[in-house]
Amino acid sequence: NEYADISLKDIDQVSKSSFPLCMRHLFEKLREDHHLKHGGRMQLGLFLKGVGLKLDDALAFWRAEFTKKVGAEKFDKEYAYSIRHNYGKEGKRTDYTPYACQKIISSAPGVGDHHGCPYRHFSEDNLRAALGRMGLSSRGMEDVMDKVRNKHYQLACTLTFEAVYGTSCDAGINHPNQYFEESQKILKS
Ligand code: SF4
């Protein structure tokens, strides 16, 4: 669609302006650690495909980070396949779709994993710190934490969206790519 097309040169800026918290977190961890475990690579990789990152750009993006830690040969052998796979270029050639919130919320990240939904999987302290970095006021933060305590994670994300962009989101957030698209609509209007 008209909003879904990001290129590599824009990706850092767009990650800060339009990614939901789950994807901001994965993106920042990847930039920081130059690595993500399988669950994180799937969750972020399919999301990026959904926002319009082309396969060649995706390969360049992951390769640039991973090869700060592993050799290019190891990257090509162990990781490039699954990126092409996500784009339907390997194996059964299924064109995999990005994960919806429900799937992400019900995932079970283990130690060292960064996938999942921060509203569901972060400690309260970490979540508050992350919301502070997104610019939420203390009032806005309390509203979000209230939804989290009641296990209404998608509503917590919707309130975050509304606080960040200063506008209502009546449909509610149910998909990270929907969050991205709604955000781009606002920022580009
Ligand atoms: Fe991501 Fe959905 Fe959780 Fe928001 S509610 S952080 S979009 S998984």
Side-chain angles (χ1 to χ4, degrees), residues 16-42:
K16 288 188 186 74
S17 67
S18 288
F19 283 15
L21 188 49
C22 53
M23 300 304 172
R24 281 170 69 111
H25 178 62
L26 283 168
F27 192 87
E28 284 168 9
K29 281 295 165 192
L30 175 63
R31 286 291 196 221
E32 208 175 293
D33 298 343
H34 316 301
H35 183 81
L36 283 178
K37 293 174 85 172
H38 178 75
R41 296 199 302 274
M42 291 297 289

Side-chain angles (χ1 to χ4, degrees), residues 21 24 118 122 125-135 141:
L21 188 49
R24 281 170 69 111
F122 274 18
D125 284 352
N126 284 346
L127 181 55
R128 283 178 180 276
L131 292 171
R133 287 195 297 276
M134 287 182 92
M141 203 177 290

Side-chain angles (χ1 to χ4, degrees), residues 53-175:
L53 193 67
K54 302 276 180 292
L55 174 60
D56 284 347
D57 282 345
L59 283 167
F61 170 72
W62 291 99
R63 181 195 292 255
E65 284 304 329
F66 271 61
T67 53
K68 290 177 181 160
K69 259 202 166 153
V70 304
E73 208 171 300
K74 184 176 162 84
F75 175 84
D76 289 339
K77 222 169 117 194
E78 290 182 26
Y79 302 107
Y81 176 92
S82 74
I83 295 163
R84 285 197 299 270
H85 193 260
N86 279 350
Y87 279 74
K89 304 292 181 202
E90 298 280 3
K92 282 183 289 178
R93 298 183 177 264
T94 312
D95 207 359
Y96 293 93
T97 48
Y99 298 165
C101 294
Q102 235 172 0
K103 183 179 171 96
I104 295 173
I105 289 169
S106 61
S107 68
V111 178
D113 278 327
H114 296 293
H115 65 277
C117 171
Y119 301 96
R120 166 72 180 84
H121 296 111
F122 274 18
S123 70
E124 180 169 340
D125 284 352
N126 284 346
L127 181 55
R128 283 178 180 276
L131 292 171
R133 287 195 297 276
M134 287 182 92
L136 262 67
S137 66
S138 56
R139 172 71 208 278
M141 203 177 290
E142 290 321 312
D143 291 345
V144 170
M145 296 312 296
D146 191 55
K147 297 293 178 210
V148 168
R149 273 189 290 275
N150 289 301
K151 302 191 184 347
H152 292 143
Y153 307 113
Q154 288 171 223
L155 282 177
C157 190
T158 305
L159 285 185
T160 304
F161 182 99
E162 293 182 339
V164 167
Y165 301 107
T167 178
S168 66
C169 175
D170 296 336
I173 297 301
N174 57 55
H175 199 294

